[in-house]
Amino acid sequence: GTAEEIIKFDLSVVEYLNAANKCKAKQLAAFCRHFLCVNNVVCRQREDWGDLSPKDASYIEENIWPPKSYLDAVAEYEAAKAKLGKGKLPENKDGCIVM
């Protein structure tokens, strides 16, 4: 899948971002930041994530997609689902899961 390919890919977007910043290649830097914002969940799993400059790390934290509020809601949902156990989740009359 795509996520696994990004994690294992030889190319480092973080390295390109750092080089773009050093060379003042603003369009390349903007693209790299955008890529890291949109793919942050996967890119964080790469070893080079820690090589981000503090300024770029801050930008990415402020502009991640999906937003942190969504990721927090998913984590809350998953925790509630796990708390209910592995049995069938309760549903309302329309067949929607009720948490």
Side-chain angles (χ1 to χ4, degrees):
T2 303
E4 189 173 314
E5 290 171 358
I6 290 173
I7 293 169
K8 293 181 179 180
F9 199 61
D10 291 336
L11 175 118
S12 169
V13 178
V14 172
E15 285 181 26
Y16 275 98
L17 175 57
N18 291 337
N21 287 334
K22 184 177 180 181
C23 297
K24 299 183 190 215
K26 293 179 183 179
Q27 288 179 319
L28 177 58
F31 172 78
C32 291
R33 280 199 279 311
H34 168 76
F35 183 90
L36 294 170
C37 287
V38 172
N39 296 290
N40 73 87
V41 174
V42 175
C43 291
R44 287 174 188 273
Q45 298 175 42
R46 289 182 52 99
E47 291 180 16
D48 60 355
W49 185 259
D51 296 336
L52 283 169
S53 71
K55 181 180 176 183
D56 287 323
S58 176
Y59 176 89
I60 291 165
E61 285 302 313
E62 292 172 12
N63 295 282
I64 63 171
W65 188 259
K68 185 163 177 9
S69 59
Y70 172 80
L71 297 174
D72 291 344
V74 169
E76 184 179 329
Y77 168 79
E78 293 295 335
K81 191 167 96 173
K83 203 173 193 181
L84 289 173
K86 296 189 189 258
K88 185 173 166 93
L89 296 174
E91 296 179 358
N92 68 11
K93 64 181 174 145
D94 298 320
C96 295
I97 295 173
V98 178
M99 298 298 290

